Amino acid sequence: ANKLWNSTRFVLDYALKNEPAPAGGYALAKLDRAKLSLADRWILARFEAVGAEAEARMAELNVAAAADALYGFLWDDFCDWYVELAKAELADPARAEAAKTILVQVLAGTLKLLHPFMPFVTEELWQALKAYAGETADFAFRAGAPTPHGWADPKAVAEMSFLMSAVGALRALRAQLNVPPGVKLKAYYAGEGGDAAVLAAGTGTLLQLARLESLERA
């Protein structure tokens, strides 16, 4: 509940700055897929995948597995990774609108998916977001489940997973070497092919999340 509350406050206060909702809200249909970042494509793919997984588990009457899938998505994928990456996108005027749209729609959609498990807090938070999400239903349970938009992207999921592993390895190395949090490191990588290309393209992500000064090929 605290995680839901804090993530909603982040979206409302930090991302949207409590400005009035635009007419029709922030709509995923308006996004230009060709201009989305890797993180954007990854979180949208994961959002649709976890929605389908939760629906499948509920159809099997495996309520615990459905709740666990949604919990893991919100806590790890959305809050621990996408929210952090979105901070840089929100600071870029060319990418801020897409980041706002994805933050609003993924969070509002996740609240609807979580509504059967924890109805009171999700209803309160969904009411605060619904105008930004373009929702018109009076209550969350009447709004229905999020509509799939065909965001499946195995390539983005694989590349983002690789970058997340790299960030985890760098963070573990910092901890092992007792590097103070405020110190930024120069990092080097070796290799050719796909993984090296992913690291090169994801340099900004690694600089931001692993607290690096630079990342260069050795």
Side-chain angles (χ1 to χ4, degrees), residues 164-179 185 210:
M164 291 161 68
S165 296
V167 170
L170 288 164
R171 287 175 173 174
L173 184 61
R174 291 180 66 100
Q176 182 182 350
L177 298 177
N178 295 315
V179 178
L185 304 177

Side-chain angles (χ1 to χ4, degrees), residues 14 82-93 95-96 99 204 208:
Y14 185 92
Y82 187 72
V83 163
E84 290 305 312
L85 290 167
K87 292 176 181 177
E89 297 199 5
L90 291 168
D92 182 348
R95 299 164 64 188
Q208 179 185 353

Side-chain angles (χ1 to χ4, degrees), residues 90-112:
L90 291 168
D92 182 348
R95 299 164 64 188
E97 191 75 6
K100 290 178 183 179
T101 300
I102 293 169
L103 285 166
V104 166
Q105 290 293 343
V106 171
L107 180 56
T110 305
L111 289 171
K112 291 196 293 183

Side-chain angles (χ1 to χ4, degrees), residues 121-143:
V121 66
T122 53
E123 181 69 49
E124 181 73 15
L125 299 178
W126 183 83
Q127 290 290 340
L129 285 169
K130 76 172 189 176
Y132 296 99
E135 299 276 7
T136 57
D138 49 356
F139 296 109
F141 77 91
R142 289 181 175 171

Side-chain angles (χ1 to χ4, degrees), residues 10-165:
F10 168 82
V11 172
L12 291 172
D13 295 345
Y14 185 92
L16 303 176
K17 303 185 187 302
N18 290 305
E19 296 175 351
Y26 292 93
L28 290 175
K30 296 179 181 178
L31 293 178
D32 184 345
R33 300 189 185 211
K35 295 182 179 179
L36 296 181
S37 69
L38 173 62
D40 293 337
R41 292 185 288 118
W42 165 74
I43 198 65
L44 288 170
R46 287 288 301 123
F47 174 55
E48 286 205 348
V50 80
E53 182 181 356
E55 183 177 352
R57 300 292 82 77
M58 289 295 283
E60 300 166 353
L61 301 182
N62 193 342
V63 177
D68 189 59
L70 294 170
Y71 175 94
F73 169 77
L74 181 94
W75 192 286
D76 297 326
D77 293 350
F78 184 72
C79 292
D80 285 357
W81 290 96
Y82 187 72
V83 163
E84 290 305 312
L85 290 167
K87 292 176 181 177
E89 297 199 5
L90 291 168
D92 182 348
R95 299 164 64 188
E97 191 75 6
K100 290 178 183 179
T101 300
I102 293 169
L103 285 166
V104 166
Q105 290 293 343
V106 171
L107 180 56
T110 305
L111 289 171
K112 291 196 293 183
L113 291 169
L114 284 167
H115 188 66
F117 305 97
M118 42 196 315
F120 299 107
V121 66
T122 53
E123 181 69 49
E124 181 73 15
L125 299 178
W126 183 83
Q127 290 290 340
L129 285 169
K130 76 172 189 176
Y132 296 99
E135 299 276 7
T136 57
D138 49 356
F139 296 109
F141 77 91
R142 289 181 175 171
T147 303
H149 287 80
W151 292 107
D153 193 332
K155 184 174 182 289
V157 171
E159 291 181 357
M160 190 65 194
S161 296
F162 180 73
L163 288 180
M164 291 161 68
S165 296

